[in-house]
Amino acid sequence: MQRLAMDLRMLSRELSLYLEHQVRVGFFGSGVGLSLILGFSVAYACYYLSSIAKKPQLVTGGESFSRFLQDHCPVVTETYYPTVWCWESRGQTLLRPFITSKPPVQYRNELIKTADGGQISLDWFDDDSSKCYMDASTRPTILLLPGLTGTSKESYILHMIHLCEELGYRCVVFNNRGVAGENLLTPRTYCCANTEDLETVIHHIHSLYPSAPFLAAGVSMGGMLLLNYLGRIGSKTPLMAAATFSVGWNTFACSESLEKPLNWLLFNYYLTTCLQSSVNKHRHMFVKQIDMDHVMKAKSIREFDKRFTSVMFGYRTIDDYYTDASPNRRLKSVGIPVLCLNSVDDVFSPSHAIPVETAKQNPNVALVLTSHGGHIGFLEGIWPRQSTYMDRVFKQFVQAMVEHGHELCNM
């Protein structure tokens, strides 16, 4: 890498000298402009292929899971080529919601009751036209968990459903309380440390289709919630496998990274306003237990969590809540196959907080770590509108588990 950097600096210096000379003798008349463009293009291509496009790091706690993924989910061992003009972490993160398409999906909404008198909104894609699984009772079911303030309308959720439709699977999106337009019936929202609502949803779905293969996939905070659930319940879950994408492994490290000035400006403040907006719609439900005026003055996610989330769920301090919310503490207890895709340049989830050593101790866990991709970015191709690397990992993994998951038991 040092030698490559030295060569690139030397090439840049020589090109600069060459440019100065050609400007003096007539830049455009000599056709040098094209030569310089070609020269820079070659230099950039060399840099991209040697430093940007890389195979992901595959970390598993057992040879069986690693071999299974190499055989049935080969995308996790192939070189990931980030979009050549947008491979930087923040660029990938910011651009994805605007550049990726939003496939049309017709949902069937269901509201289910909770033990405390609340309700949860589920958006179903039944896929009744499935040609591969015509029997609804055995049609594979994929539970999808969106991110922090996300719903079933997020582009990454729509892409997952579109991919599942290609496979003939049924999908159901778990919308956290109060974010999908439904009324909040009790003074309670959601957080990634409390898994009660997720447990309710999983058991509800399984009771409807007990014979169907059942998997789950969580994105960002949805993945944190899913991992905390799996870490608490171990192997005693109806789920046969799960996948997570861009999970924040250590909430303290995530918060610290997002509070750096540029990250605060680009991401933290905006997400804080989204959280404030989501709870302010139900303000009348919280005024007896929470100082909502103080909540609405929060300038960061940490301040919001200190003033609202930690109080809502009865934590003594924000540190107590963040400790309980961090899924790295429970990874060792996960009892079903789980694939976790993260980019090491994700400012939402710093690479130093990714629990590599813990993953090596659990044969059910596989970490797939790319060098680039940002937070829920993973853009690839010249114009990454239809598909991302994350989409391909999702599709191959769920298909592998549905069609070949039994092989893991025999390895």
Side-chain angles (χ1 to χ4, degrees):
M1 291 297 294
Q2 292 180 342
R3 176 65 182 275
L4 176 61
M6 187 179 302
D7 291 343
L8 287 172
R9 284 196 296 271
M10 185 177 299
L11 177 62
S12 300
R13 186 166 59 250
E14 290 175 355
L15 284 172
S16 298
L17 293 173
Y18 182 64
L19 175 60
E20 291 175 6
H21 172 71
Q22 291 300 332
V23 168
R24 289 196 296 270
V25 301
F27 184 85
F28 295 104
S30 63
V32 171
L34 178 60
S35 298
L36 278 172
I37 291 173
L38 291 174
F40 278 117
S41 298
V42 170
Y44 183 81
C46 291
Y47 172 71
Y48 175 86
L49 293 173
S50 61
S51 301
I52 305 302
K54 294 182 179 181
K55 290 185 177 182
Q57 179 187 1
L58 178 61
V59 180
T60 60
E63 184 61 31
S64 297
F65 200 7
S66 177
R67 193 162 60 247
F68 175 86
L69 292 173
Q70 293 173 45
D71 291 342
H72 302 298
C73 189
V75 66
V76 302
T77 63
E78 298 170 358
T79 300
Y80 164 49
Y81 295 92
T83 296
V84 293
W85 51 270
C86 180
W87 45 262
E88 195 274 334
S89 170
R90 297 173 185 86
Q92 286 248 340
T93 304
L94 290 168
L95 190 62
R96 180 204 52 77
F98 301 102
I99 197 172
T100 54
S101 62
K102 288 193 172 185
V105 173
Q106 286 293 113
Y107 288 119
R108 172 177 62 86
N109 183 257
E110 179 187 17
L111 295 174
I112 64 172
K113 298 297 182 181
T114 61
D116 69 336
Q119 63 181 0
I120 301 170
S121 174
L122 302 179
D123 282 322
W124 290 84
F125 175 73
D126 296 299
D127 202 7
D128 289 329
S129 60
S130 173
K131 293 181 173 60
C132 301
Y133 300 94
M134 300 178 68
D135 183 355
S137 67
T138 57
R139 186 176 303 145
T141 302
I142 315 297
L143 172 62
L144 302 176
L145 289 75
L148 184 61
T149 58
T151 68
S152 58
K153 297 178 182 179
E154 304 303 320
S155 62
Y156 55 82
I157 294 292
L158 298 175
H159 275 250
M160 288 178 170
I161 292 175
H162 177 68
L163 295 170
C164 286
E165 183 179 15
E166 293 178 356
L167 296 170
Y169 300 169
R170 171 175 44 232
C171 292
V172 54
V173 184
F174 168 34
N175 297 295
N176 286 302
R177 293 198 201 192
V179 300
E182 80 283 6
N183 291 326
L184 205 61
L185 302 183
T186 59
R188 169 174 165 166
T189 54
Y190 61 93
C191 75
C192 60
N194 188 290
T195 61
E196 293 172 358
D197 282 359
L198 178 56
E199 292 174 32
T200 298
V201 169
I202 287 175
H203 286 293
H204 172 71
I205 297 170
H206 183 61
S207 69
L208 295 176
Y209 304 104
S211 300
F214 189 15
L215 297 84
V219 180
S220 191
M221 195 214 78
M224 297 171 70
L225 177 63
L226 181 56
L227 286 170
N228 281 328
Y229 160 77
L230 293 173
R232 284 194 173 107
I233 203 166
S235 60
K236 298 177 181 179
T237 173
L239 297 173
M240 64 178 294
T244 67
F245 303 93
S246 296
V247 158
W249 290 99
N250 183 305
T251 317
F252 294 99
C254 298
S255 180
E256 182 179 349
S257 176
L258 286 173
E259 286 170 359
K260 293 179 180 178
L262 183 57
N263 296 337
W264 178 87
L265 182 65
L266 293 176
F267 307 112
N268 199 327
Y269 182 70
Y270 170 73
L271 287 173
T272 303
T273 61
C274 289
L275 287 167
Q276 290 169 325
S277 176
S278 69
V279 300
N280 199 44
K281 290 184 295 187
H282 311 284
R283 185 187 185 105
H284 64 282
M285 299 294 293
F286 311 124
V287 291
K288 291 184 178 180
Q289 63 183 114
I290 294 175
D291 183 351
M292 290 300 295
D293 289 334
H294 195 42
V295 170
M296 298 305 294
K297 294 176 182 177
K299 295 294 188 287
S300 69
I301 296 174
R302 186 197 295 264
E303 287 185 357
F304 177 89
D305 284 337
K306 182 177 182 179
R307 300 173 186 183
F308 184 87
T309 314
S310 61
V311 177
M312 166 74 60
F313 288 93
Y315 290 97
R316 189 172 58 86
T317 66
I318 181 67
D319 287 354
D320 289 343
Y321 167 51
Y322 275 7
T323 298
D324 199 29
S326 300
N328 61 343
R329 300 170 55 249
R330 299 189 176 92
L331 190 63
K332 62 181 181 296
S333 302
V334 170
I336 62 171
V338 177
L339 182 147
C340 308
L341 174 65
N342 278 84
S343 171
V344 297
D345 71 350
D346 184 354
V347 299
F348 283 70
S349 183
S351 59
H352 66 83
I354 298 175
V356 173
E357 294 305 316
T358 305
K360 291 178 180 178
Q361 299 169 17
N362 188 334
N364 295 305
V365 173
L367 300 181
V368 180
L369 308 176
T370 60
S371 296
H372 298 277
H375 188 71
I376 328 175
F378 301 103
L379 303 176
E380 58 184 358
I382 298 299
W383 189 248
R385 183 161 174 76
Q386 300 302 326
S387 179
T388 67
Y389 180 75
M390 173 177 133
D391 294 336
R392 293 196 292 130
V393 171
F394 168 78
K395 183 179 181 180
Q396 285 193 17
F397 180 70
V398 295
Q399 184 177 17
M401 293 306 307
V402 168
E403 298 180 7
H404 306 285
H406 62 277
E407 296 179 14
L408 277 175
C409 300
N410 301 324
M411 287 183 173

